[in-house]
Amino acid sequence: MTPPSYPPKPSPGDRVAVISPSSGLPGLFPRPYELGLRRLREEFGLEPVEYPASRKMGSTPQQRADDIHAAFADPDIKAVFASTGGDDQITVLPLLDRQLLRANPKPFFGMSDNTNLLVYLYNTGIVGYHGASVMIELGRPVAMHPHTAESVRAALFTSGPYELRPADRWNDVNGDWADPATFETEPGSRPGTGWTWLNADRVVEGRSWGGNLEILSWLLAADREIAHDLSVYDGGVLFLETSEELPSGTEAFRILRTMGERGLLRRFPALLMGRAKTWDFARPNSPEEGARYAAEQREAVQRALRTYAPDTLTVFDVDLGHTDPQLVLPYGGTIRVDGPARRITVTY
């Protein structure tokens, strides 16, 4: 595996690709998608370029792989954004040309099912960026969350350290993308609770790896893009988050147990655990029910760590996943977790 390095950054005025490596939801829900495209133009000064499968529901894995190749190979494209996530990007990975991507490194932004491509780029030697999907973070109703916008701007245009900070307020309840009224109202929010630190008597600095827990479980099951020589992860910072499917604490523990049995968990001396999303249209939990769900998930993580990596420096409720705001993390880039100072600094 080639150690990841940072690709060149875009500048305002540059063209950037917008692709759908997973689901073609822009074709079903154009409002958040087109809002995200407009913000790329008006707020970040970039010119988004769509590809053939960007708005196509039911596109084949080959069509999506072709869009990835075209976006990376075009010298006029300076960064690549995923429109949204999905659930089958794992089928695209075997169709990718690693040599083509390695020869044309570019910043890639995405999360959720895009964990697949982020892991692939990590193994190809390219630092990616976990976060900033066009339909979700950039297509947020009324305005981007200020914390998200600041993080995206720093990740896009700057190189160097950026200190993360806990959200003062946060939200995980989504509006209906099919309802125009959704985009006329600022999303609700609730008070932030800060970060919770465990084993915070040390400082860990290393390359980041991880992403969506459910996607990592599929990669483990398929034995795809997980290094067999686990020493490549030694000293790194693991970050994890769970999706809107709200996996139970039992399921989360079982995935982490698999990672523990594989020998993965003990390789990472630090873990950043994303704030759990606790609400979905299929499970519209009350705040009290959501708090119980989040507590169950936290206990599952702690149970796995007690068994497989009891000394891991751990930070809970980092805003890095399916909740709002969302902070961008470099994938394969450097993260410094300073326990005594209670600080997290990423290098963009």
Side-chain angles (χ1 to χ4, degrees):
M1 186 193 78
T2 303
S5 61
Y6 289 86
K9 299 293 184 80
S11 300
D14 283 343
R15 291 157 58 90
V16 297
V18 178
I19 60 176
S20 295
S22 297
S23 172
L25 284 177
L28 290 182
F29 301 104
R31 286 187 185 89
Y33 179 63
E34 291 170 2
L35 179 56
L37 295 180
R38 189 169 78 236
R39 287 191 178 132
L40 280 173
R41 293 189 187 97
E42 297 177 358
E43 298 185 21
F44 295 96
L46 298 168
E47 184 55 41
V49 178
E50 298 185 64
Y51 283 72
S54 296
R55 301 190 190 222
K56 184 175 181 180
M57 284 295 294
S59 60
T60 67
Q62 186 62 61
Q63 289 170 325
R64 286 175 273 156
D66 290 345
D67 281 0
I68 294 170
H69 291 150
F72 275 84
D74 186 341
D76 290 332
I77 295 294
K78 303 303 182 183
V80 182
F81 285 83
S83 65
T84 189
D87 70 356
D88 73 339
Q89 197 177 109
I90 193 172
T91 65
V92 177
L93 298 187
L95 306 174
L96 294 180
D97 183 335
R98 200 179 301 272
Q99 184 174 351
L100 181 152
L101 299 183
R102 184 179 290 122
N104 299 278
K106 290 171 185 176
F108 170 74
F109 290 80
M111 57 163 292
S112 195
D113 198 33
N114 294 289
T115 296
N116 286 284
L117 187 49
L118 289 165
V119 173
Y120 188 94
L121 292 173
Y122 178 103
N123 292 337
T124 304
I126 302 171
V127 170
Y129 295 89
H130 182 272
S133 298
V134 171
M135 292 183 72
I136 305 167
E137 290 75 40
L138 276 74
R140 182 181 186 268
V142 180
M144 290 183 68
H145 193 290
H147 283 197
T148 305
E150 179 186 302
S151 173
V152 172
R153 189 175 302 278
L156 260 175
F157 298 126
T158 70
S159 299
Y162 178 89
E163 186 170 344
L164 307 185
R165 65 185 191 273
D168 296 329
R169 301 188 66 86
W170 67 281
N171 177 55
D172 66 349
V173 178
N174 306 110
D176 183 357
W177 279 347
D179 183 358
T182 292
F183 300 93
E184 299 171 0
T185 306
E186 174 74 17
S189 65
R190 65 189 82 172
T193 56
W195 298 333
T196 299
W197 296 73
L198 301 177
N199 295 328
D201 58 348
R202 68 205 70 172
V203 176
V204 174
E205 182 172 323
R207 289 207 310 266
S208 63
W209 185 88
N212 181 259
L213 186 63
E214 299 101 300
I215 302 305
L216 291 175
S217 76
W218 300 348
L219 291 170
L220 283 163
D223 195 21
R224 185 166 295 165
E225 296 301 318
I226 306 295
H228 289 174
D229 177 6
L230 298 181
S231 67
V232 300
Y233 304 118
D234 285 350
V237 175
L238 178 65
F239 70 93
L240 301 171
E241 58 93 27
T242 52
S243 76
E244 75 281 358
E245 294 185 0
L246 308 190
S248 68
T250 298
E251 182 178 355
F253 171 76
R254 288 171 175 168
I255 297 171
L256 290 165
R257 181 175 62 190
T258 299
M259 295 175 70
E261 290 293 328
R262 180 76 175 260
L264 267 173
L265 289 185
R266 63 185 176 84
R267 299 288 177 169
F268 298 93
L271 165 65
L272 306 181
M273 191 70 202
R275 184 189 301 279
K277 182 173 176 59
T278 65
W279 185 98
D280 185 61
F281 290 103
R283 290 179 60 187
N285 287 327
S286 68
E288 295 75 21
E289 291 169 331
R292 287 194 293 271
Y293 170 82
E296 177 186 299
Q297 183 179 108
R298 180 178 298 190
E299 172 52 33
V301 174
Q302 290 178 296
R303 179 184 169 198
L305 291 176
R306 285 195 299 267
T307 303
Y308 296 102
D311 297 326
T312 300
L313 167 57
T314 306
V315 190
F316 286 97
D317 292 336
V318 183
D319 299 283
L320 59 84
H322 279 73
T323 55
D324 177 49
Q326 183 200 82
L327 301 172
V328 175
L329 266 61
Y331 198 109
T334 300
I335 296 181
R336 178 182 175 87
V337 187
D338 187 333
R342 301 298 197 266
R343 299 174 70 179
I344 302 172
T345 304
V346 301
T347 298
Y348 288 147

